[in-house]
Amino acid sequence: ASTNRKRYVPPPPPAAPADALVFGCGYLGRRVAARWRAAGRRVSAVTRRNAAEMRALGLEPIVADVTDPVTLTALPRAGTVLY
């Protein structure tokens, strides 16, 4: 006899911690970004011209200018934003 039992499908694993996005990597932004990186988070940093420096800090640089909306069209999704 055949049974119509549904097969158990386990739930997906919990999502990874939300990524973070930092606008302005001056004194405060760099220190917060460093703490997030130390906690294992992937951190993107919006910078006008210091991409190599941000990369050297372990951040994912995004060259953009908050005063120019056209440059902000490719921002990544982030669960946490520091501005």
Side-chain angles (χ1 to χ4, degrees):
S2 149
T3 61
N4 289 343
R5 288 191 289 169
K6 292 188 178 193
R7 198 175 94 176
Y8 172 74
V9 178
D19 294 338
L21 177 62
V22 177
F23 282 86
C25 286
Y27 180 83
L28 179 62
R30 286 177 194 228
R31 279 150 183 80
V32 172
R35 285 188 160 229
W36 284 341
R37 286 289 302 133
R41 297 180 75 179
R42 193 179 99 217
V43 181
S44 298
V46 175
T47 181
R48 286 179 287 185
R49 60 187 162 273
N50 297 323
E53 189 176 336
M54 297 300 110
R55 207 172 284 111
L57 295 171
L59 308 176
E60 297 176 21
I62 300 165
V63 178
D65 185 336
V66 297
T67 64
D68 184 1
V70 173
T71 66
L72 302 174
T73 58
L75 294 177
R77 298 185 95 180
T80 306
V81 177
L82 174 67
Y83 180 77

